[in-house]
Structures are given as structure tokens and as C-alpha cells.
């Protein structure tokens, strides 16, 4: 799993202003290996001193500009209470924020509220040229190769009601993924040139393995062969 975080910030959330605020964090290129499958995304929110958390709306924009809504007025209920403390919105959780209570310190399901004229569930101008999605699966599938999370992720926040104030103090994204198992095989090649570590200090002496390191002993061409094995099947060299 990998995590990107804003660190400690103190960004004021304007009272009753649909324009709201944005804050971005970045996953570097190559954060997730090619071919990996994302199994969970969790966004953690902290606005501990906000006086009425049920007026807050949170939306998440992916690096390609596509957006989902994380929460709209505590899953649309307007439940009374102040503050959000380590409020985790997970792509695999089952309970909405409406099942909890202030300061909603727990793991919940993003409500993915639909957008319409009466319910603009993202800050004004936040969507840009991207597409709005109502599921994590479609958002993630829209990323390059379906799994490349590298780039800027932007959190949009606005306060949709009067007479309450507070700051966004921290937020983060955690991505859990799996990689396909790499086939193992038996390697053969020039004697004394195959090793199991990059420093070439541990000799490879045979047996199933999925990675070896080669340190040639002489100038010229040497042939190396692997015989892949999967279950009872042995591939051609």
C-alpha cells in the first residue's frame, strides 16, 4: 500500500461559500507497479474544530480531472455535530457517515451523491473538464492503465450553510493494491555468473526462482536459459 498526505495544513474553509477551497497532494510516477490491481482507496479527512461538520461537502479529483463526491452534508442527513477527526472514507466500507456521530472518527463509505441543479455537490468550478463518476470502480478504471495513481489528487471542500467556521488541518489518500504473482523457473548459464542478489555475493545454485542477477566474467556473448514452471506445466526453455 502507498500513502500521499498533505501533512499539517491549516486551510480556512470559507463560511457558506460554494467556491470553497482546494488542496492537492501528489503520488510520484511509478508509485504502483504496472499491472497491479487497486483493491481499496481510503481518503482521511481532518477538520477537528469545524463548528458544524454537517454543512461540509468534500469531493475528490483524480490526476486525469475526473471527480467523485466523498461526502455531502454527512451523507445528506445534516446530522448535528462538530468536527471531523481521522474520518476515513473507504472504497470498500459499507456504512455511510450517517451511521456515526461527531466527530466521525471511523471508517465509512463515500456517499457519492449525484450532481444536479439542486445539489451541486462539488465546489463551484471544481469539476473543470473532467467527468463526474458515481462509483470508485469507474473512477479508477478511467486512470491510465486503470491503475496509475501518479500525479496530483485534489480535495475540494466547501461549507454549504451559514454561521459555522473551521479549518482543514490534514488529509491523505491511502491506496492498497495487489500484484500478479511472477512465474518462477530454473535458470542456467555460464558457470559462476548467476546470483540471487544485486551485489553478486550469493551464488544461484539452481531451483525455482523468479529473479536472478548476472555478472559476466568475460567479454563476449553468453546464453542464459530459464525453464518456467507453473503447477505441473513446464514451459519450453
Amino acid at each position: 500500500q502507498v500513502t500521499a498526505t498533505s501533512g499539517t495544513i491549516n486551510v480556512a474553509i470559507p463560511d457558506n461559500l460554494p467556491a470553497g477551497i482546494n488542496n492537492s497532494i501528489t503520488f510520484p510516477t511509478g508509485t504502483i507497479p504496472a499491472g497491479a490491481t487497486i483493491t481499496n482507496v481510503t481518503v482521511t479527512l481532518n477538520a477537528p474544530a469545524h463548528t458544524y461538520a454537517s454543512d461540509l461537502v468534500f469531493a475528490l479529483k483524480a490526476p486525469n480531472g475526473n471527480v467523485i463526491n466523498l461526502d455531502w452534508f454527512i451523507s445528506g442527513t445534516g446530522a448535528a455535530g462538530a468536527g471531523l477527526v481521522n474520518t476515513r472514507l473507504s472504497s470498500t466500507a459499507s456504512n455511510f457517515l450517517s451511521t456515526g456521530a461527531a466527530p466521525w472518527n471511523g471508517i465509512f463509505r463515500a456517499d457519492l451523491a449525484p450532481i444536479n441543479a439542486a445539489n451541486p455537490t462539488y465546489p463551484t468550478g471544481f469539476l473543470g473538464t473532467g467527468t463526474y463518476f458515481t462509483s470508485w470502480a469507474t473512477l479508477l478504471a478511467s486512470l491510465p492503465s486503470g491503475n496509475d495513481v501518479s500525479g496530483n489528487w485534489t480535495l475540494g471542500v466547501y461549507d454549504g450553510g451559514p454561521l459555522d467556521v473551521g479549518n482543514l488541518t490534514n488529509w491523505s489518500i491511502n491506496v492498497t493494491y495487489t500484484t500478479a504473482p511472477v512465474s518462477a523457473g530454473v535458470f542456467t548459464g555460464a558457470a559462476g555468473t548467476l546470483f540471487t542478489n544485486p551485489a553478486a555475493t550469493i551464488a544461484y545454485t539452481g531451483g525455482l526462482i523468479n529473479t536472478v542477477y548476472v555478472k559476466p566474467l568475460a567479454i563476449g556473448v553468453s546464453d542464459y536459459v530459464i525453464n518456467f514452471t507453473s503447477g505441473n506445466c513446464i514451459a519450453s526453455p
Side-chain angles (χ1 to χ4, degrees), residues 4 22-25 27 41-45 57-71 89 91 110 112 121-123 126-127 131-133 135-136 139-140 143 152-157 171-175:
N22 297 338
N23 189 264
S24 295
I25 56 181
F27 281 112
V41 178
T42 299
V43 178
T44 300
L45 306 171
V57 177
F58 296 88
L60 181 68
K61 182 187 289 184
N64 58 0
N66 294 332
V67 172
I68 61 169
N69 286 317
L70 297 173
D71 182 68
L89 299 173
S91 61
L112 307 176
T121 54
Y122 55 87
F126 179 71
L127 185 62
T131 301
Y132 168 77
F133 287 120
S135 91
W136 283 102
L139 175 73
L140 295 173
L143 299 174
N152 291 333
W153 290 79
T154 303
L155 181 72
V157 190
W171 74 284
S172 63
I173 306 176
N174 177 272
V175 179

Side-chain angles (χ1 to χ4, degrees), residues 181-202:
V182 179
S183 296
V186 176
F187 290 81
T188 56
T193 66
L194 288 166
F195 301 87
T196 61
N197 65 323
T201 58
I202 304 173

Side-chain angles (χ1 to χ4, degrees), residues 59-227:
L60 181 68
K61 182 187 289 184
N64 58 0
N66 294 332
V67 172
I68 61 169
N69 286 317
L70 297 173
D71 182 68
W72 174 69
F73 298 164
I74 309 298
S75 304
T77 63
L84 298 172
V85 177
N86 289 328
T87 306
R88 285 148 285 167
L89 299 173
S90 167
S91 61
T92 57
S94 56
N95 292 327
F96 288 113
L97 277 166
S98 54
T99 63
W104 291 280
N105 182 349
I107 301 175
F108 303 94
R109 173 182 173 185
D111 60 34
L112 307 176
I115 292 174
N116 55 55
N119 176 29
T121 54
Y122 55 87
T124 304
F126 179 71
L127 185 62
T129 58
T131 301
Y132 168 77
F133 287 120
T134 56
S135 91
W136 283 102
T138 50
L139 175 73
L140 295 173
S142 76
L143 299 174
S145 303
N147 67 0
D148 186 0
V149 300
S150 60
N152 291 333
W153 290 79
T154 303
L155 181 72
V157 190
Y158 81 87
D159 179 289
L163 304 178
D164 43 75
V165 294
N167 291 2
L168 177 69
T169 62
N170 171 271
W171 74 284
S172 63
I173 306 176
N174 177 272
V175 179
T176 304
Y177 63 91
T178 60
T179 56
V182 179
S183 296
V186 176
F187 290 81
T188 56
T193 66
L194 288 166
F195 301 87
T196 61
N197 65 323
T201 58
I202 304 173
Y204 169 69
T205 57
L208 292 173
I209 195 170
N210 57 43
T211 301
V212 293
Y213 299 86
V214 175
K215 184 178 182 181
L217 297 176
I219 296 173
V221 177
S222 297
D223 291 332
Y224 292 86
V225 176
I226 180 172
N227 288 276

